[in-house]
Amino acid sequence: MNISIIGSGYVGLVSGTCFAELGNKVICADNDAKKIALLKNGRVPIFEPGLEELIKNNLKKGRLKFSTNIKEAVINSEVIFIAVGTPPLDSGEADLTGIEHVARSIAQNLTGYRLIVEKSTVPVETGERVKHTIATYVKRKIKFDVASNPEFLREGTAINDFMHPDRIVIGVESKKARDILTSLYQPLNAPIVVTNIKSAELIKHASNAFLATKISFINAVSRVCDKVGANVEEVAKGMCLDKRIGRAFLDAGIGYGGSCFPKDLDAFVTISENVGYDFDLLKAARRVNEEQKSFYLKKIKDALWVLKDKNIGILGLSFKPNTDDIRSAPSLDIIKSLLQDGAKVRAYDPQAMLKIKNEINGITLCKDPYEVARHADCLLVVTEWDEFKELDFKRLKKQMRCALIIDGRNIYDPEEMSKFGFKYISIGRPSRKDGGK
Ligand code: UDX
């Protein structure tokens, strides 16, 4: 099929490239000329494992094209995906300016039937707005369909998530739209859930809100574990063998971050409020997530007493491993608070150093974990990169002024850390096997 994707951010770029890999002819459009120039040369502005290679390969095969020209994209495609950003406004609502703008541009360039598909995460009823906007601005009477096809890919595993999804959701209003999208996704061999447009829009918000709530739930349980000397990992293990619960998203830590969960929860709370429902449960999930960072900071203060002039080393800055993304990363709030208290912060992350440099002043960036540990009074594990799981702990300890690790992601075994001679504090897990504090 001839496809275009308007908006070459995370979702647009990965989806467009994967559609090309499946044999479609794809134009990825974006109004950021710098970004498009980079992409035309096979250079990728984001870090996503495997993406650059896939882009280069599909550029070479002539299946993938990048353009700043939305008209070219609309004229040459049967299906047009809208994948522009929907950033949060101060009110928590999603800013739909980009979506409206693209809908108008599509209308003004429409020459024949097109299927216009929302891929960005949008509030329920946006599909109706898009349909109305296109109908208003289209020059003559041309048939078109609007559909919703939310994307569930995760940063760091985006290509695999796109190619092997648990399900594909398509919200449609006509048989033609349903047939086009079903045949586009047929090569993926995944279950396809066909719904109306509003349900599809809600599935995305409800799924992200549910996953975020699951994380907040286990984080709340970890607080109780900490108080009584139980182990949150054992609790999660005991819970997850019940097939109705499952193991995924039951890792306690310093809370979720990233470009989706915080923003989508805010948006879903506001959407619900706007239609007259107070989604208290999500507000609580959000609150637990915020508290988790304060709770971690309290652990640091309890252990170090006064933070002024203490050397604190940070392992990991991105909101999760395998990405350079620091949007709403817990590291940001944690570092800012430590600096405010007068601590000296050294940090290392395999990918996110450049981004943190532009975001926070006053920290020293180091070339590896051992340099971070030099003269440190305490080391904090903030992101669970694999690289941190296999450190030379003897070497690490030698570098440190005090052998103290406060692990916000529970990546080490407390017993082993104690054998290496560290004082080891983690989340919802006792330092001793018998639950003693
Ligand atoms: C999420 C959704 O998973 C994806 O389906 C949607 O399309 C976009 O939002 P993403 O933000 O890339 O994806 O990351 P994800 O892997 O879901 O992790 C989100 C956050 O939750 C991270 O900060 C992570 O550290 C945290 N997390 C995840 C936990 O704290 N505990 C867990 O058990 C799982």
Side-chain angles (χ1 to χ4, degrees):
M1 274 183 209
N2 290 321
I3 296 172
S4 63
I5 318 267
I6 319 285
S8 298
Y10 225 104
V11 168
L13 204 51
V14 172
S15 311
T17 308
C18 290
F19 278 135
E21 180 69 12
L22 293 174
N24 301 286
K25 279 198 96 173
V26 180
I27 302 176
C28 284
D30 201 290
N31 57 10
D32 182 341
K34 253 194 197 158
K35 189 197 274 181
I36 292 297
L38 271 181
L39 287 163
K40 277 183 175 170
N41 288 316
R43 288 175 51 208
V44 186
I46 50 172
F47 171 78
E48 180 60 38
L51 184 59
E52 187 162 312
E53 204 186 325
L54 218 56
I55 288 180
K56 280 188 177 148
N57 188 27
N58 282 283
L59 276 172
K60 211 157 64 190
K61 296 214 164 111
R63 291 190 297 238
L64 184 61
K65 209 177 149 185
F66 294 101
S67 172
T68 49
N69 188 342
I70 195 165
K71 184 173 180 181
E72 179 195 1
V74 175
I75 289 177
N76 293 301
S77 317
E78 199 179 338
V79 189
I80 304 161
F81 285 90
I82 305 179
V84 293
T86 52
L89 294 165
D90 287 342
S91 62
E93 271 173 291
D95 182 354
L96 300 176
T97 316
I99 302 260
E100 193 269 352
H101 184 76
V102 171
R104 248 187 310 140
S105 305
I106 292 173
Q108 282 153 358
N109 292 297
L110 222 52
T111 49
Y113 175 86
R114 297 289 183 273
L115 170 59
I116 297 116
V117 189
E118 306 168 332
K119 199 128 196 66
S120 312
T121 303
V122 289
V124 60
E125 296 183 328
T126 302
E128 283 188 358
R129 294 280 189 182
V130 169
K131 201 165 101 183
H132 178 74
T133 304
I134 297 175
T136 308
Y137 288 94
V138 73
K139 285 180 199 142
R140 50 197 170 83
K141 235 184 158 30
I142 296 172
K143 277 202 172 154
F144 68 91
D145 272 312
V146 169
S148 164
N149 168 223
E151 187 48 63
F152 300 97
L153 55 82
R154 289 164 297 176
E155 292 185 23
T157 53
I159 292 164
N160 188 62
D161 288 346
F162 186 95
M163 292 298 197
H164 306 283
D166 290 342
R167 81 307 204 182
I168 290 154
V169 174
I170 54 180
V172 285
E173 279 183 336
S174 76
K175 182 173 178 306
K176 190 168 180 175
R178 174 193 182 133
D179 290 347
I180 292 173
L181 286 175
T182 311
S183 83
L184 180 63
Y185 279 111
Q186 190 259 333
L188 293 186
N189 225 352
I192 296 184
V193 182
V194 182
T195 67
N196 68 30
I197 296 179
K198 288 181 197 175
S199 301
E201 290 167 334
L202 267 179
I203 287 169
K204 172 71 194 206
H205 266 134
S207 301
N208 272 0
F210 186 81
L211 290 170
T213 306
K214 207 173 171 191
I215 297 170
S216 280
F217 179 85
I218 201 67
N219 279 335
V221 172
S222 83
R223 302 286 296 275
V224 180
C225 288
D226 254 332
K227 289 201 184 290
V228 300
N231 183 329
V232 71
E233 271 176 355
E234 290 175 359
V235 176
K237 192 171 169 194
M239 286 167 64
C240 78
L241 290 176
D242 183 330
K243 290 191 188 68
R244 294 170 301 176
I245 297 175
R247 179 64 183 84
F249 283 70
L250 284 182
D251 288 322
I254 43 179
Y256 57 78
S259 67
C260 291
F261 285 173
K263 163 175 97 78
D264 289 355
L265 237 71
D266 283 349
F268 202 21
V269 166
T270 317
I271 293 163
S272 309
E273 239 156 44
N274 289 347
V275 296
Y277 178 66
D278 182 4
F279 215 143
D280 242 352
L281 178 66
L282 296 188
K283 289 182 186 166
R286 215 164 47 172
R287 200 184 60 238
V288 170
N289 198 56
E290 280 310 305
E291 282 169 5
Q292 207 62 12
K293 282 176 278 189
S294 326
F295 162 66
Y296 185 59
L297 282 162
K298 186 171 178 308
K299 277 184 185 258
I300 300 167
K301 284 184 190 171
D302 282 350
L304 291 176
W305 187 26
V306 171
L307 294 189
K308 189 162 170 18
D309 294 331
K310 291 271 161 67
N311 293 331
I312 300 186
I314 311 251
L315 298 181
L317 299 163
S318 55
F319 82 97
K320 66 171 194 178
N322 297 321
T323 175
D324 63 349
D325 200 340
I326 55 164
R327 284 177 288 176
S328 300
S331 65
L332 297 175
D333 289 340
I334 290 164
I335 293 174
K336 281 178 193 159
S337 167
L338 296 175
L339 289 174
Q340 214 159 35
D341 284 337
K344 291 177 186 152
V345 176
R346 294 160 72 83
Y348 166 75
D349 185 284
Q351 290 296 336
M353 308 262 263
L354 206 66
K355 293 218 163 135
I356 209 85
K357 220 171 166 176
N358 299 327
E359 192 73 28
I360 298 184
N361 290 324
I363 61 172
T364 307
L365 295 173
C366 302
K367 71 172 197 315
D368 62 31
Y370 306 101
E371 205 179 298
V372 170
R374 197 177 309 147
H375 306 306
D377 295 292
C378 162
L379 265 187
L380 308 180
V381 179
V382 174
T383 316
E384 68 277 32
W385 286 90
D386 277 346
E387 168 176 349
F388 303 148
K389 295 177 186 165
E390 291 145 14
L391 295 174
D392 177 345
F393 292 108
K394 279 191 188 147
R395 185 174 158 204
L396 199 75
K397 188 168 167 252
K398 261 196 206 143
Q399 302 281 335
M400 298 178 70
R401 199 147 69 178
C402 305
L404 168 64
I405 295 181
I406 307 183
D407 180 356
R409 299 293 185 177
N410 287 354
I411 63 173
Y412 304 127
D413 176 5
E415 294 273 304
E416 222 160 87
M417 285 298 108
S418 134
K419 273 188 207 149
F420 279 112
F422 285 102
K423 178 166 191 223
Y424 177 69
I425 298 167
S426 56
I427 307 287
R429 301 186 308 170
S431 308
R432 283 184 9 217
K433 237 190 174 145
D434 61 5
K437 292 182 197 168

